[in-house]
Amino acid sequence: MKDPVAAELLRQKGVKPTPQRVVITEHLLNTVSHPTADEIMEAVSDKLPVALSRATVYNTLNALVEAGVVREVFTEPGCARYDANTSEHHHFVDVKSGHIFDIPQELVPQLKDQLGDRFKVHNYSITFWGEIADADAS
Amino acid sequence: MKDPVAAELLRQKGVKPTPQRVVITEHLLNTVSHPTADEIMEAVSDKLPVALSRATVYNTLNALVEAGVVREVFTEPGCARYDANTSEHHHFVDVKSGHIFDIPQELVPQLKDQLGDRFKVHNYSITFWGEIADADAS
DNA sequence: ATCTATTCTTAGAAGTATTCTAAAAACATA
DNA sequence: TATGTTTTTAGAATACTTCTAAGAATAGAT
Ligand SMILES: [Mn+2]
Ligand SMILES: [Mn+2]
Ligand SMILES: [Zn+2]
Ligand SMILES: [Zn+2]
């Protein structure tokens, strides 16, 4: 099934929907796994008739972040992960499996105004590490 | 002034206080700036009679983290920062200057039990980005 | 349909942070 | 002192990301 939603989303956000960008965006829209650039490259390259370059993957991801189509998530040093869930939310890392779960903003108290008037908070992110009770949630 | 406190701390934590380790620990105890490995190397290498190797800096920092002498802090992709403040606390990054401030645990609500019983939280970290009111706080 | 300017993609090189390797030095113990 | 263990060292290797320079695709103007 072809999926016009990715191309449409890109257009809305002012990003020209090239095949490479569409296919990467599609992949992120259809996963909850917070993949790295490498994982995205791996997953996506055979959906294009031409060779896909590392540079294009990184260029595209940077463009998507810039345009607000996806979020960059940092749960570990060394590499960024990407997330098509752009709502305000936080992350839980299962230390056993490495799986990353979304924690909606509503589950944690609003922290913007906790710090007093010395610190003007633009945004913040919370990363939780721990174990998840029933492990069958990928 | 020589400072026996670093060596003593290392001994307490079960790390043999070699000159390299002492000098790196001393530097971290005497700064609030959350330096990177590179910045530590730069700051410390002329306090030793011998050449200091990158590998030793990284080995030492890993050993110190392992032993609980310092904390690793991730506020940006690409490189780790180090912090001799091992109390539970969080971080505020001034987006103008890049300076990183400690936010004591008491300033934010306890989040360990917010997530329901599905997620067993071992620990968590909050990073705030924003601007600081009076900028003269280094 | 061509021409032209701009944007996008490509392969590979370069850059940056960190770890690995193998050998030398320092240290501890007998 | 002899011996084994730990630590440090310089440089190579690795991992992730960005840069470079050239070609391909695209869009607009003629
Ligand atoms: Mn997410
Ligand atoms: Mn700190
Ligand atoms: Zn997310
Ligand atoms: Zn800190």
Side-chain angles (χ1 to χ4, degrees):
Chain A
M1 65 198 95
K2 73 178 167 189
D3 188 2
V5 65
E8 189 45 43
L9 174 63
L10 291 177
R11 250 177 246 109
Q12 274 172 32
K13 300 281 192 160
V15 180
K16 200 202 301 186
T18 66
Q20 289 83 353
R21 289 169 179 173
V22 168
V23 111
I24 287 171
T25 304
E26 239 159 32
H27 180 66
L28 284 170
L29 289 173
N30 292 324
T31 187
V32 296
S33 74
H34 304 81
T36 64
D38 228 47
E39 289 165 353
I40 293 166
M41 172 121 188
E42 169 72 17
V44 135
S45 50
D46 58 356
K47 291 178 187 158
L48 286 166
V50 296
L52 175 63
S53 165
R54 233 182 356 269
T56 299
V57 175
Y58 282 102
N59 288 345
T60 296
L61 291 170
N62 290 343
L64 296 184
V65 169
E66 180 79 17
V69 178
V70 305
R71 264 182 63 170
E72 228 164 356
V73 177
F74 303 108
T75 54
E76 70 204 284
C79 77
R81 296 181 167 273
Y82 295 88
D83 188 350
N85 178 354
T86 54
S87 71
E88 275 197 62
H89 70 279
H90 303 281
H91 293 97
F92 180 96
V93 181
D94 181 28
V95 299
K96 295 273 182 59
S97 67
H99 290 160
I100 299 170
F101 299 85
D102 284 344
I103 302 295
Q105 173 74 300
E106 305 83 66
L107 269 189
V108 300
Q110 189 54 247
L111 299 184
K112 283 235 165 86
D113 308 316
Q114 295 290 136
L115 261 46
D117 48 11
R118 185 164 146 71
F119 297 101
K120 217 174 297 181
V121 175
H122 294 177
N123 67 312
Y124 63 97
S125 89
I126 312 178
T127 307
F128 298 89
W129 287 271
E131 284 165 71
I132 195 157
D134 63 287
D136 62 299
S138 177
Chain B
M1 64 197 96
K2 73 178 165 188
D3 188 2
V5 65
E8 190 45 43
L9 174 63
L10 291 177
R11 248 177 249 109
Q12 274 172 32
K13 301 281 190 159
V15 180
K16 199 202 303 187
T18 67
Q20 290 85 353
R21 288 168 179 174
V22 167
V23 109
I24 287 172
T25 303
E26 238 159 32
H27 179 67
L28 284 169
L29 288 173
N30 292 323
T31 186
V32 296
S33 74
H34 303 81
T36 64
D38 227 48
E39 289 165 355
I40 293 166
M41 171 123 190
E42 169 73 17
V44 134
S45 50
D46 58 356
K47 290 177 187 158
L48 286 166
V50 296
L52 175 64
S53 164
R54 233 184 353 273
T56 299
V57 175
Y58 282 102
N59 288 345
T60 296
L61 290 170
N62 290 343
L64 296 184
V65 169
E66 180 79 17
V69 178
V70 306
R71 265 183 59 172
E72 228 165 354
V73 177
F74 304 108
T75 54
E76 71 203 284
C79 77
R81 295 180 167 276
Y82 295 88
D83 189 351
N85 178 353
T86 54
S87 72
E88 275 199 61
H89 70 279
H90 303 281
H91 292 98
F92 181 96
V93 180
D94 181 27
V95 298
K96 294 274 181 57
S97 67
H99 290 159
I100 298 170
F101 299 85
D102 282 344
I103 302 295
Q105 173 75 299
E106 304 83 67
L107 269 188
V108 300
Q110 188 54 247
L111 299 185
K112 283 234 165 88
D113 308 317
Q114 295 291 135
L115 261 45
D117 48 10
R118 185 163 145 73
F119 297 101
K120 216 173 298 181
V121 174
H122 293 177
N123 67 311
Y124 62 96
S125 90
I126 312 178
T127 307
F128 298 90
W129 289 270
E131 284 163 72
I132 195 158
D134 63 288
D136 61 299
S138 176

